[in-house]
Amino acid sequence: MLQLILGGARSGKSRLAEKLAGESALAVTYIATSQPLDGEMNARVAHHRERRPPEWALIEEPLELARVLRETASDERCLLVDCLTLWLTNLLMLEDPERLAHEREALLDCLASLPGEIVFVSNETGLGVVPLGELTRRYVDEAGWLHQALAERCQRVVLTVAGLPLTLKGTAL
């Protein structure tokens, strides 16, 4: 089963995804896409680490998400990817403008063939103000297109607001 958990900052989306992964009765691998490049991001990473059960495996991969999913997915495993918008940002910041399109297509192309359960976490950016700069507008566009493409392929899509899940597609939580 593929699941997409969307929400704003501090909406409870990661906590919900961790709960779903823990309830899956499968071995869990947490795939972290962040690159903690400053003190504030280090604190966020530490907070996520403290919440995770010690038996969960961890893979840190900021760019090649499709490769990691293909190598790690199995019928006995739940993969939790947190988060897609950080992954997208990492790709947008590269000097190679083609890399984002390549990695995005690789991700979307591999989803149908992946075994096991996969829970994706991502920030819903389409509910805020219109960004002023070219890069931030591209980020919002790319995130929106990625979310639409993933939502089409996922069996369940959930929007999380104030810690409350609202099921947009699939069986309700």
Side-chain angles (χ1 to χ4, degrees):
M1 175 184 229
L2 300 174
Q3 299 184 71
L4 175 60
I5 310 297
L6 298 167
R10 298 290 181 243
S11 64
K13 63 190 175 298
S14 292
R15 186 177 309 118
L16 175 61
E18 291 164 3
K19 179 178 181 276
L20 293 172
E23 291 175 350
S24 72
L26 300 170
V28 177
T29 297
Y30 189 100
I31 301 172
T33 62
S34 71
Q35 297 183 87
L37 302 174
D38 59 39
E40 186 270 341
M41 195 57 165
N42 282 323
R44 286 177 180 263
V45 169
H47 175 72
H48 278 259
R49 276 191 188 124
E50 291 168 6
R51 267 200 334 237
R52 289 195 300 265
E55 66 272 10
W56 285 12
L58 171 65
I59 297 174
E60 295 176 331
E61 178 50 57
L63 301 173
E64 297 180 4
L65 185 54
R67 177 188 56 79
V68 168
L69 292 173
R70 285 190 308 271
E71 291 174 357
T72 312
S74 77
D75 288 327
E76 298 81 35
R77 184 162 302 282
C78 177
L79 304 179
L80 193 166
V81 179
D82 198 356
C83 96
L84 290 174
T85 43
L86 286 174
W87 172 72
L88 180 66
T89 299
N90 296 337
L91 291 165
L92 280 170
M93 300 309 292
L94 295 176
E95 291 187 23
D96 178 3
E98 301 302 317
R99 184 75 185 270
L100 171 60
H102 171 76
E103 294 294 339
R104 179 184 181 273
E105 288 310 308
L107 172 64
L108 296 174
D109 288 347
C110 80
L111 293 178
S113 65
L114 295 175
E117 293 192 28
I118 303 172
V119 181
F120 295 100
V121 177
S122 199
N123 291 291
E124 178 52 61
T125 58
L127 300 174
V129 297
V130 177
L132 294 175
E134 178 184 349
L135 180 59
T136 52
R137 283 191 301 272
R138 182 169 178 221
Y139 166 80
V140 170
D141 289 348
E142 294 288 352
W145 293 326
L146 177 63
H147 292 161
Q148 290 179 53
L150 270 171
E152 184 179 304
R153 290 162 172 81
C154 288
Q155 287 79 34
R156 181 185 290 147
V157 179
V158 177
L159 177 65
T160 306
V161 179
L164 301 172
L166 173 63
T167 302
L168 304 176
K169 177 182 177 183
T171 57
L173 296 176

